[in-house]
Amino acid sequence: MSLIGDGLNKAVQKAFTRPAPKSAGAQMRYLVKQLGGTKAVAQMLRVSQRTVERYVKDQIKKPRADLAGRLDGEVKQRWQPQIRAKAKAKAASTGGIMIDVRARLGYTAPIGSTDQDRIRHLTLALPPVHAARLFDAQEQGASDERLQEIAAEALKEVYFQDGGRRAGSLDEVRFTDIEHLEFDL
């Protein structure tokens, strides 16, 4: 996926009330139950149907590294959908989202101001409206560039303009060279 999309997913996964299945057999059984059969799981994971059946019966216990990654990702993507939806709804309506980022930030402003890009480490609470925009864009399949633009607009309003109290003539915020990015609900 993308850096920002993965960060949003990890933040939502912190809201899970039960841990996702860890063993390959348990993960396969969960996916078979969710998708309604071994054939659908086999097509999704790009393995044979017989391989899926062997994992379900615990005849195979250790998947290859690439299959283990796909398997874990698919399980976490489907795990506790109601909890996931509630966490997103709360962040988008009342709670907002925390962002911890270390990246190169700069801005476009009128002549005479210091608009030089520089590495900044910020930990900020983004209001619910920005959390809603990020989650909506992610659900609609927005690219990493689009998610980065939305995050830059949020940082512009919260950090640079301080909710409208300063830097009113700021045009655009540049948000590049992301070294670290983490979200928390």
Side-chain angles (χ1 to χ4, degrees):
M1 195 173 198
S2 66
L3 183 65
I4 295 176
D6 288 343
L8 290 171
N9 285 336
K10 285 178 185 174
V12 171
Q13 288 172 7
K14 290 177 187 175
F16 288 166
T17 57
R18 292 181 300 138
K22 299 232 185 306
S23 72
Q27 289 176 333
M28 281 292 186
R29 286 188 287 279
Y30 175 75
L31 287 176
V32 168
K33 185 177 178 185
Q34 289 293 307
L35 298 177
T38 56
K39 187 174 184 177
V41 174
Q43 289 174 345
M44 178 183 63
L45 295 174
R46 298 184 304 273
V47 295
S48 71
Q49 186 174 355
R50 182 69 186 128
T51 301
V52 172
E53 292 167 359
R54 286 182 182 135
Y55 278 109
V56 168
K57 293 178 183 177
D58 281 330
Q59 292 174 343
I60 305 175
K61 297 192 187 271
K62 289 278 189 183
R64 298 181 320 266
D66 61 328
L67 177 59
R70 289 194 309 264
L71 186 59
D72 191 51
E74 293 296 334
V75 168
K76 285 185 177 174
Q77 186 178 5
R78 289 170 173 74
W79 189 248
Q80 293 190 327
Q82 287 97 358
I83 302 290
R84 182 186 304 270
K86 283 181 185 176
K88 286 181 180 181
K90 182 180 177 192
S93 62
T94 58
I97 193 167
M98 290 292 293
I99 183 172
D100 180 40
V101 64
R102 180 169 167 79
R104 183 169 300 281
L105 290 164
Y107 52 89
T108 306
I111 296 175
S113 63
T114 307
D115 60 352
Q116 182 70 32
D117 291 4
R118 66 178 186 251
I119 298 287
R120 300 173 198 247
H121 184 196
L122 305 174
T123 302
L124 299 168
L126 300 180
V129 68
H130 296 297
R133 288 185 62 211
L134 281 167
F135 285 128
D136 289 344
Q138 182 189 25
E139 286 178 17
Q140 294 171 3
S143 66
D144 194 37
E145 291 82 25
R146 179 63 188 138
L147 290 173
Q148 201 166 333
E149 289 172 13
I150 294 169
E153 291 168 12
L155 292 173
K156 170 186 169 185
E157 183 179 314
V158 174
Y159 178 70
F160 289 108
Q161 293 182 328
D162 195 19
R165 289 189 281 277
R166 60 188 168 123
S169 60
L170 202 64
D171 295 331
E172 176 189 4
V173 170
R174 292 183 297 277
F175 180 46
T176 57
D177 301 338
I178 300 172
E179 294 177 6
H180 167 78
L181 178 72
E182 189 175 330
F183 291 100
D184 197 11
L185 301 178

